[in-house]
Amino acid sequence: MKLPRGSMLLVASHNRGKLREIAGLLSPFGISVRGAAELALAEPEETGLTFAENALLKAQAAAGESGLPALADDSGLCVAALDGAPGIYSARWAGPDKDFSIAMARVERDLKEGGARDASAKFVCALALAVPAGEAACFEGEVHGHLVFPPRGGNGFGYDPIFVADGMTRSFGEIDPGLKHAISHRARAFEKFAHAVLLP
Ligand code: IMP
């Protein structure tokens, strides 16, 4: 499955930040993007049990509905001592108000209650591409590190202030966003996607 230069791709996300980030990554390959909100597409329920299943179901629903090739991402934080939680429930742990200080406090509390000494964690991103005819593929990227409390720094989003990547001393909330984007789970998934699907 290849996307030639000049293709139009639907990004199956209602999140404007994600759309902007993905548009920037795709423009050097001559791909232009449309957002799911622009085409008023429904947001399917994320019923998958893995990041890849959720990314694929979002991409396939969007491609079917729009008639365009569609790209969807599903991502989250997996904490080793919590058996991979919050994982695919990362966004849901922040509650209806999407308050990540609540989600980060829950991670800290669950680690303390479990008496965990191991603070290792990873961010995972699954990026799925689906075409209207039905073909689909998924690419995954990870960045490994450990958690720190209390949260540090105001950059980034979500769980960034408690995550320090391997080889770093500052959290994703403290480092320059450009540095995060160069090594993040999303960047690594995108690299695999670009290698497999895009033409230089
Ligand atoms: P999704 O939009 O359903 O894939 O939810 C992803 C959730 O995972 C986000 O709401 C964040 O909580 C978390 N997450 C994913 N990527 C990152 C990241 O790069 N930094 C911080 N949190 C992230």
Side-chain angles (χ1 to χ4, degrees):
M1 199 166 31
K2 294 280 180 199
L3 279 180
R5 296 183 81 84
S7 300
M8 165 95 71
L9 184 65
L10 175 73
V11 177
S13 169
H14 288 255
N15 178 325
R16 266 198 238 148
K18 249 187 209 175
L19 183 62
R20 205 175 324 117
E21 193 177 313
I22 292 175
L25 290 166
L26 286 166
S27 76
F29 297 94
I31 309 290
S32 54
V33 305
R34 289 277 176 278
E38 211 178 320
L39 300 188
L41 298 187
E43 276 186 276
E45 212 188 321
E46 296 186 16
T47 52
L49 295 177
T50 62
F51 293 109
E53 281 174 16
N54 279 334
L56 280 164
L57 75 83
K58 286 188 272 189
Q60 283 168 325
E65 214 182 325
S66 68
L68 289 171
L71 186 68
D73 106 325
D74 200 63
S75 53
L77 177 74
C78 300
V79 182
L82 301 181
D83 296 326
I88 58 167
Y89 304 104
S90 293
R92 283 167 262 187
W93 274 32
D97 294 335
K98 298 196 166 60
D99 182 345
F100 282 94
S101 58
I102 292 174
M104 290 187 285
R106 178 167 170 194
V107 172
E108 183 177 18
R109 194 192 62 218
D110 287 4
L111 280 173
K112 267 201 193 126
E113 282 177 5
R117 294 186 173 205
D118 177 12
S120 48
K122 63 182 178 182
F123 277 123
V124 179
C125 174
L127 208 50
L129 174 72
V131 295
E135 204 184 341
C138 190
F139 308 90
E140 282 201 40
E142 297 186 348
V143 57
H144 293 245
H146 68 274
L147 301 180
V148 289
F149 298 98
R152 303 191 327 214
N155 291 341
F157 68 98
Y159 298 86
D160 279 341
I162 58 169
F163 184 82
V164 176
D166 285 349
M168 294 193 170
T169 53
R170 292 184 303 150
S171 77
F172 270 4
E174 294 174 302
I175 62 173
D176 182 75
L179 184 53
K180 179 193 162 187
H181 293 152
I183 62 154
S184 77
H185 46 314
R186 207 163 286 104
R188 287 176 178 161
F190 188 84
E191 246 168 57
K192 292 185 190 169
F193 160 77
H195 185 74
V197 172
L198 302 177
L199 302 173

